[in-house]
Amino acid sequence: MEIAQINKLKNNRFFETYKTQISTFIALIAIGLILSLMTDKFLTGKNLLSVMRQSSINSILAAGMTFVIISGGIDLSVGAIVALSTAIMGDLVVNSGLNPFMGMAVALLLGVIAGSTQGLIIAKVKIPPFIVTLGGMTVWRGVALEYVNGSNVYGLPKPLIWLGGGDVLGIPAPVLMALLVYLGAWFLLKKTKFGTYTYAIGGNEVAARLSGINIDKILVLIYSLNGLLCGVSGILIAGRINATSAVVGVGYELDAIAAVAIGGTSMSGGKGIIWGTLLGALVMGVIRNGLNLMRVSPYYQQIIIGVVIVGAVSIDALRRSRK
Amino acid sequence: MENVTKKFPGVTALDNIQFNLKAGEVHVLLGENGAGKSTLIKIMTGAYTPTEGVIRVQGEEVKIDDPIHAQELGVGAVYQEFNLVPFLDVAQNVFLGKEPRKNGVIDRQYTLDKTKEALDMVGADIKADALVDTLGVASQQMVEIAKALNSRSKILILDEPSAVLTEKEIEKLFKVIERLTAEGVGVVYISHRLEEINVIADRVTVLRDGQYIQTVEVEKGKIDKDELVRLMVGRTLDDFFPKHDIEPGEEILRVENLGKKGVLENISFSLKKGEILGIGGLVGAGRTELAKAIFGAEPADSGKIFVHGKEVSIQSPSAGIANHIGVAPEDRKKEGLVQILEIDKNINLASMQKISRGPVVNFNKMDKVSNSMVDKLKIKTPHLKQLIMNLSGGNQQKVVLAKWLASDTEILILDEPTRGIDVGAKVEVYNLMNELAAAGKAIIMVSSELPELIAMSDRILVMHSGTISGELSKDEFSQERVLKLAAGGEA
C-alpha cells in the first residue's frame, strides 16, 4: 500500500517542491521523539519554549542568510556585524545615557550600514562575496573592539531586557520576533519583485541583467537586509544577557549557513525556501538542547553538530543524484 | 552496431539503429537536433549503455562499459564542447587521468614524446609543453584529436568539429582526416552542413527522431543535397520556411555611425515596422555585439540610435527595454533564461513592473499573462510552475520570445533564433516571426544558417570584422553573395 501512496505523493507538485523541507520536518519530529524517549525533561512545555528561545537568534540570522545564499552569495561577516551593533548600542545607552529606543535604532542602522557597504563593494567592484565578507568579518569586529576599547557593558535599561527575556502570554519575546522576521522574509521572497529578482540573480545573473533587472540595487538590498537582521539579533542578545560586548557572535555566521543548508537551500543559489531555513535552525536547536539534557560534553557536541550538517546535506544530494 | 535501441524513462531516444563503420572511411552521421546522433555516439563511447542491440568492434561482440574502456577498444571521440584543462599544458591534457609513472612520479619525458608523436600524426604544429589556454580554438581541437587517438585507435568520432572553425581551419581539419583515414582509421563525422559532407563523406547514415532512416553511399563532390535534406527532415525545404510577405510600415529604428572600440565600426541602418532584417556574417564579425549594443547590454561608445525618429540613449538593458527593444540571445542557457526558475516567472521577468503594485507582485496577473503566452506561443508544458530546465530547446526559445512579448517589445532582436532546436519547433519559431511581423513588430535576425537567413529575411545586412560589408535586397539574395560579403569581398 505504501508504494502506491508514495507514488501518488510523488506526482503531487507540493511534495515535489517541498520534498527537502518535508524530510527536514520529519527529521525534526524524529529527533524530538528520540529525545523524549531518552530524557524525561525534553518533552516539557518549559523546555520546548527554551529550545525556541535559544534558536531564535540563529533563526533570525539564518533568515537573512537565506536571501544572501539564494542570490548566489555568502556572508561571513554576520557574527562581526552582530558584535558591532550590540557593542556600540550598549555603550551609547549605558555610558552615554542614550534613550534605549534610539539605541536600538542605532543598532539597526549600524547593521544596515555594514551590510550595504559590503553589498556595494560586491556589486560595484565585482569581488566575490566570500572575500568581501571575509574582510568585513575582521573589519567590523575591529571597529567594535576599538569603539568600546575591548570593555564590556553591564546593566541595560528595561525595554532592552524585555526584548531579550520578556514574554507575551507565555511566549518569549525573541521567539515572537523570530516569527515576525520569518513572516516578513516569506512575504519578501514569495510576494515581491525583490524576492523574485533574488531567485533570478542566483539562478542566472546574466539572464537577469539582460531582463533589465538592476542587479546592483538588488544585491545592495540583500546585504543590507542581512545587516539589518544582524542588528535585530544584536539587540536581542544584549537583552538576553543584560550586557553588551564586542566579542559576542563569534561563529554565528557558520550556524546561520548551516541552518540554511539543512533547510534545503542550494549553496549555488537560485533555489531555496524560507521555512526550510526555520526548520534547519530548529533542528540545530533541538539537537543542541538534547545533547545538553543528556550532558554530552561540548566537545562531543561540536562533533555531532558537524556530522549532522554534512549528513543532512549529503542525504539530500544523494537522493537528487539517484534521480 | 545492430538493432541498437536506447530508452530513457518516457522516451525512446534511439529505435533499432543500424550503423557500421569500415576501416579508412569517413562515415557521416546526419540528422537534425534531437535526431539521436548524440545518443548514438554516447553509446559508442560507453557513456550510455544501450537498452537493446549488439555492438561489434572488428567483428567481436563487445559491451562498452565506460569511456576509458571505449578508448582501450580503440574508440576515441572529440566532442563539440572541448574537455581540456586550460592551465595545464598539451601533454598534461593528453595524458590526463592516465599519467604514466616512473619511480612513483609522472614520467614527463614519456608523455612529451608520445604527445609529440600524436601531434605529428594529426600534422599539427603545436608544442607538447604549450599551455592549452594560449592555443586558439582550432589548435585546441587538434589537441583533442591527439588526445582521442592512441597507438591502438581504430575509430575516431568527431561531433560537429567544423562548428567552431573558420573556412581555412576546416580545410586543415579535412587534411588531418584524410591523413588518418589513409592510415586505416575509421572516422564517424557528425555534421548537418551539406557542403562539408560533399567534400569528405564516403557514406552517410541519416537519423530522424531516433529512427534509422537510410545509409547512402556518396560520391565526393556529387551528393544529392535535396535528397539528403528530404531524408533528414522528412519533408521538402519549401514547407520548411513559411515566409509571409508583409508590407513594411513606418521606420521604427535607425542606427547612425554606431561604433564600439575594437568591435563595431560605423554601423548605420534603419528598420521598419513589420520588417524582418537579416544580419549575416561569420562568427566574430560583430553581429552579436551589434545586437547587444542596440539593446544596451554592451553599449556602443559612439554613434546614435533613434527609436520612432527620436534619438535615445541606451546604456543598459533596462534602457533598451524602456525603448521596447528585446533580445533573444544566442546562448539561451547562459543569457536567455533562468533555468532553475519557473516558466511563469521567466515569462514575466522583464515586465515585473507591469504586474506589480509598488513592490508587491500580483500573481493573478502573472498567471493571466503567462497563460495567454503559453496558449499563444503553444509552449508545451504541463503547468506554469514547470522549471525551464525541464523544457526542450524549442520550448525554451518560445519562453524567451514570450518574455519579450509580455514586456511590449516592438523591436525584437533574435540572435541565432533556431540554434539547437528541433525541426518542428524551428518551423513554429518561423511562423511566430511571421505573426509578429504581421502585427507590426520589427525583427532583426542574426543567423549563421544561410538557408534560414535567405528564406526569412526581407533584407540582409552582411557584417565583416565589425563593419557592414554590404546590404542585399530580396532580389539579390544568394548564398554566394552573403558568403562573399561575409569574407569581406564585393557581392
Side-chain angles (χ1 to χ4, degrees), chain B residues 37 43 76 102 137 260 312 317 319 336 419 441 446 475:
Chain B
K37 294 171 298 183
I43 287 175
K102 197 170 146 188
V137 175
K260 186 173 170 68
V312 291
R419 175 169 290 175
K441 313 257 186 222
V446 174
D475 51 347

Side-chain angles (χ1 to χ4, degrees), chain A residues 5-22:
Chain A
Q5 250 177 351
I6 288 167
N7 278 337
K8 219 173 167 184
L9 273 174
K10 273 198 173 156
N11 293 329
N12 186 319
R13 218 190 305 154
F14 177 84
F15 185 79
E16 268 300 308
T17 317
Y18 297 103
K19 49 180 187 239
T20 310
Q21 288 71 28
I22 291 169

